[in-house]
Structures are given as C-alpha cells and as structure tokens.
Amino acid sequence: MAQPPKEPIVAGLLLAAGGGRRLGGRPKALLEHRGRPLVEHAVRVLREGGCGPVHVVLGAAADRVRNVADLSGCVLVDNPEWEEGMGSSLRAGLESLGTTDADAALVSLVDQPGIGAAAVARIRAAYRSRDSLAAAAYEGERGHPVLFGAHHWRDITASAVGDRGARAYLKAHKASLALIECGDIAEAYDIDTAEDLAHLE
C-alpha cells in the first residue's frame, strides 16, 4: 500500500539577537510584552502557527535571555557576530537548521509582535516543496514572516550580510517568490525606538 505523503517539516527560525541600539541598548528579546519577555511571545506565535522545531538565534545579552525567558523545547543558537546585523543571525540560524531534516525555514523577527499565529500559518501553508519561497505582504509590500525552502539555504547563507538579511536574494528571485497578503490579519510594525514601545502591552 502506498505511504501517505510525509507532512513537511517547516521549522520556525526566530531572529532575536538585536541589541536595541535605538532603545538605549535594551535587548529586544527581553522587552516585556503581556508580562513576559518578547522572545517568549514570538516563540509561541511560531508554534501556534504550525512551525516546529523552533530555532532561536540569540546575541545581545544571550546569557540573560537564557536565564529570564522560558525557551524550553527550542534550539538556541548563539550568534557572536550579532552586532554585524540581521544577516549574521540569518546565517547562524540557517546553518543550525542545515543539520536537521527540516524542509523549510519560516523566519520571523522578535520585534514584530503585531504579527501573530494567523500570519505564520498563512505563510506556512504556502510551502509546496524544498524550492518554495514565500513572504508575507502588507498592502503589496514584502515583509515578514518569510518562508525559505531548504534548497535555498546555502545561497542565502552566502549572500546574507549586514542588516539586509535575505533582501538581495529575494530581489534576485522575485519571479519565484510568492507574496501572500497578510495585512488583514497582522500589523508589521517594528519595535525600534522608544516611541514604538507603546505597541507593547
């Protein structure tokens, strides 16, 4: 009898290494949201959106994040080069997933609490194969989360530099990138400045 098709493994990859330079050096992972560190909220969103395993890239105050946040069940990845920008965290995260049998990585950012499980689930549902490329869009503008099929990881890792992450790679592969509107279920603001802290509860 034919085996049923294997459910794809879509790992959650949370980039949580930022030092909050414009927030007076407050690590973003430790900002409080609904009584708990923001990183816990972001991990829960990935899990509730159907992602697993969840790898979390830590950088600024990594030891303190480990001590304060409940990240049980996550694979914690240290990025000693976190000050170089998001590209280094993306590289570290994809390299850690490269040792697993994940079929795709769904990448989210710790400082976007307006993006919840519904948006994660919508992007996860865009997985078709290890060649898949998909991203959330907000009024047609590409944002997060982003899904990278495993066949793309090596080239993304080679091109991810500075704060640009995978921007150049996605631009070069625009023809095969599925943009999925999420503006009806999520808000894509970042927590970057003291004024943005008003978004936290």
Side-chain angles (χ1 to χ4, degrees), residues 5-200:
K6 181 176 80 79
E7 178 73 14
I9 299 171
V10 178
L13 177 54
L14 176 63
L15 306 185
R21 189 168 35 87
R22 285 184 281 170
L23 290 165
R26 296 168 66 187
K28 292 187 176 184
L30 290 173
L31 294 174
E32 197 168 292
H33 185 49
R34 297 175 185 165
R36 296 300 304 163
L38 197 53
V39 67
E40 281 185 26
H41 170 78
V43 164
R44 189 172 68 249
V45 162
L46 284 170
R47 287 194 173 128
E48 289 177 356
C51 296
V54 174
H55 287 222
V56 181
V57 181
L58 300 178
D63 290 342
R64 192 146 53 94
V65 175
R66 280 183 159 86
N67 290 333
V68 172
D70 178 5
L71 299 175
S72 49
C74 296
V75 176
L76 305 183
V77 181
D78 279 308
N79 175 18
E81 299 169 346
W82 63 270
E83 288 182 90
E84 290 181 12
M86 194 199 312
S88 64
S89 289
L90 183 59
R91 289 197 307 270
L94 290 177
E95 283 165 7
S96 76
L97 283 172
T99 63
T100 73
D101 52 2
D103 297 297
L106 190 142
V107 180
S108 69
L109 308 181
V110 76
D111 67 344
Q112 293 190 321
I115 298 174
V120 169
R122 190 175 283 183
I123 302 307
R124 188 194 180 286
Y127 177 87
R128 298 291 176 268
S129 74
R130 286 182 155 224
D131 289 314
S132 291
L133 271 183
Y138 301 89
E139 297 183 0
E141 291 293 313
R142 180 174 54 76
H144 284 85
V146 183
L147 182 139
F148 300 120
H151 289 168
H152 297 280
W153 295 354
R154 183 179 296 172
D155 290 341
I156 292 170
T157 299
S159 66
V161 293
D163 257 334
R164 296 179 65 79
R167 200 176 303 167
Y169 187 86
L170 290 172
K171 197 170 180 181
H173 293 79
K174 193 173 180 179
S176 50
L177 174 66
L179 281 182
I180 301 181
E181 184 57 47
C182 289
D184 57 322
I185 52 172
E187 293 181 85
Y189 55 80
D190 300 302
I191 308 296
D192 280 333
T193 67
E195 289 72 31
D196 298 332
L197 294 173
H199 288 297
L200 300 178

